[in-house]
Amino acid sequence: MSLDVAALRARFPSLTSGIAHFDGPGGTQTPAEVGSAIAATLTGPLSNRGGSVASERNAESAIAGFRSAMADLLGAQPGGIVYGRSATQLTYDISRALAKGWGPGDEVVVTELDHDCNVRPWVQAAQAVGATVRWLRLDPTSAELDLSDLDEVVGERTRLVAVTGASNLLGTVPPVARIAARAHAVGALVHVDGVHLTAHSHIDVTTMGADLFVCSPYKFFGPHCAALAADPALLETLHPDKLLPSTDTVPERFELGTLPYEIMAGATAAVDVLASLAPGEGTRRERLAVANALVHEHELGLRQRIEGGLADLGDRVTLHSRAQQRTPTLFFTFADRDAREAAAFLAERDVLAPAGTFYAHEPFRALAPGVDLGMRVGAAPYTDDSDVDRLLEGLTDFFGR
């Protein structure tokens, strides 16, 4: 059994553009079902949430559907799912709420592997209350976190460890469960940035050891929004700043203002699309596990083909994605060419492979590649072999011109 890529592609109207998309780490294309769910919810009837008439009940249904879908996707409880505008916004909000209980002598641990949305909010929250920031370093030769000093960095004063589930720059999947076990052994919480990982792996927040986990549906076919998963009992202990008349019920106490019901319905539809990739019966959670296995097998084959093509370019390209466990995301720099020029050359051929550092400030600094940016290529479930052919032919032509 394998993923039917042709059938999947037919569900994405945007793919008729002819663009070969390798920008998945920045956001995927959207299937028709998601757009239809957004439109159907928005055009109603729809009112502020309540139970008296159909328009109010539709708002309640959109919220409940979102919490249920995200819980199935992440192995979490619906009552612990918080809606957010973005993972950055959710991380800032939760960091401020947690920091109310921190002070001098407390420590927060961040890593050099993370997107800045899982670094700067914690650094700034710690600085605001006089807490100390400690670091888990990135080994640039292996593209892995150096955990040789894990027990020293994560110690008795640690209050929280923030770590990525997978690097949006390098694709590296660090041993989160091992890091979480050490954090929990000293009574610390673990916040996992799952934005990149969720698009490429079956998530179980409990097995992973994540006390707090954020993801963004637009990375896996959905609209632009985010979700945070946590144990409702943990959320009950946190008190974010909010309006006095607004509810104090969890998880609603973290959701400020009127919710975008149509966007929540679109995110639910995206999860249903993912589940539909699995043939046969079963619960949505069970079908998501099967679907993710099919997607992983497909994306692994694509990644290996791209790696082989990059190897054929010889020492003109340095591939920095080298970790043992990694997603189908590859970051590379050029010895004597500008990555911006390569991206523009490919774009002229309708191949989208962007150049930049992609908000991965700390990983890029740790790599110290000697240039100011590189090229990132990321496969998505709808990426096919013809896309890969066009990418590799375009890079070969770029170097041959």
Side-chain angles (χ1 to χ4, degrees):
M1 182 170 57
S2 59
L3 183 66
D4 188 339
V5 181
L8 176 60
R9 289 176 66 88
R11 300 165 76 170
F12 290 78
S14 67
L15 295 183
T16 62
S17 68
I19 299 171
H21 283 275
F22 290 94
D23 60 332
T28 55
Q29 300 303 294
T30 308
E33 295 99 316
V34 172
S36 296
I38 292 172
T41 303
L42 188 59
T43 56
L46 186 66
S47 304
N48 259 334
R49 59 192 302 186
S52 65
V53 296
S55 57
E56 292 184 337
R57 292 192 294 271
N58 285 345
E60 291 286 2
S61 177
I63 296 169
F66 174 83
R67 299 203 203 285
S68 175
M70 290 300 122
D72 284 348
L73 181 71
L74 305 175
Q77 300 178 56
I81 299 295
V82 179
Y83 173 87
R85 184 181 72 252
S86 67
T88 299
Q89 173 252 307
L90 283 170
T91 305
Y92 265 114
D93 286 353
I94 207 74
S95 68
R96 290 167 181 148
L98 282 166
K100 291 181 178 183
W102 301 343
D106 292 327
E107 296 181 351
V108 176
V109 176
V110 294
T111 91
E112 286 186 331
L113 186 60
D114 275 79
H115 185 290
D116 210 48
C117 91
N118 204 32
V119 175
R120 218 54 49 193
W122 303 110
V123 170
Q124 292 166 351
Q127 290 173 338
V129 297
T132 300
V133 176
R134 304 197 68 184
W135 292 83
L136 291 172
R137 301 296 179 182
L138 174 66
D139 177 0
T141 62
S142 66
E144 306 264 16
L145 282 178
D146 180 359
L147 299 182
S148 61
D149 59 352
L150 176 63
D151 289 355
E152 176 186 345
V153 174
V154 180
E156 296 299 325
R157 294 184 174 182
T158 304
R159 300 299 301 275
L160 178 131
V161 177
V163 61
T164 187
S167 167
N168 75 304
L169 185 74
L170 297 166
T172 300
V173 178
V176 173
R178 175 186 168 189
I179 296 169
R182 173 57 186 168
H184 292 155
V186 296
L189 294 173
V190 176
H191 182 278
V192 176
D193 172 2
V195 172
H196 188 59
L197 181 66
T198 305
H200 303 288
S201 181
H202 187 57
I203 305 299
D204 188 313
V205 293
T206 301
T207 301
M208 181 183 295
D211 299 294
L212 302 146
F213 184 98
V214 293
C215 68
S216 299
Y218 72 97
K219 308 291 187 176
F220 48 88
F221 306 165
H224 291 85
C225 64
L228 179 143
D231 188 327
L234 172 60
L235 296 180
E236 289 283 2
T237 69
L238 303 179
H239 299 280
D241 295 330
K242 66 178 190 66
L243 302 182
L244 187 61
S246 64
T247 180
D248 200 39
T249 301
V250 166
E252 284 88 347
R253 74 169 63 156
F254 298 91
E255 297 167 336
L256 308 182
T258 301
L259 291 168
Y261 311 118
E262 67 278 6
I263 298 298
M264 300 177 92
T268 299
V271 175
D272 286 335
V273 169
L274 286 171
S276 75
L277 302 182
E281 302 296 324
T283 66
R284 181 164 57 188
R285 174 74 177 162
E286 290 167 343
R287 287 182 288 123
L288 284 165
V290 175
N292 273 291
L294 296 177
V295 167
H296 174 76
E297 180 183 17
H298 170 62
E299 291 181 335
L300 177 60
L302 295 173
R303 192 198 85 197
Q304 291 172 337
R305 280 201 62 211
I306 297 168
E307 288 173 337
L310 293 177
D312 290 340
L313 295 173
D315 58 8
R316 292 173 291 187
V317 171
T318 299
L319 178 62
H320 299 279
S321 300
R322 305 166 182 164
Q324 289 286 324
Q325 298 292 325
R326 60 188 186 276
T327 69
T329 293
L330 302 171
F331 181 71
F332 47 96
T333 53
F334 302 131
D336 55 2
R337 305 295 291 271
D338 192 316
R340 283 168 289 232
E341 294 179 7
F345 185 86
L346 291 173
E348 290 172 359
R349 289 150 180 78
D350 272 345
V351 176
L352 182 53
T357 59
F358 309 101
Y359 283 80
H361 179 72
E362 300 298 340
F364 189 79
R365 284 206 316 173
L367 291 173
V371 293
D372 61 354
L373 47 74
M375 177 170 282
R376 183 181 67 181
V377 167
Y382 49 69
T383 307
D384 64 10
D385 285 329
S386 68
D387 290 335
V388 174
D389 290 342
R390 291 169 60 193
L391 170 72
L392 296 178
E393 289 166 4
L395 286 172
T396 300
D397 291 346
F398 173 72
F399 282 105
R401 66 174 182 169

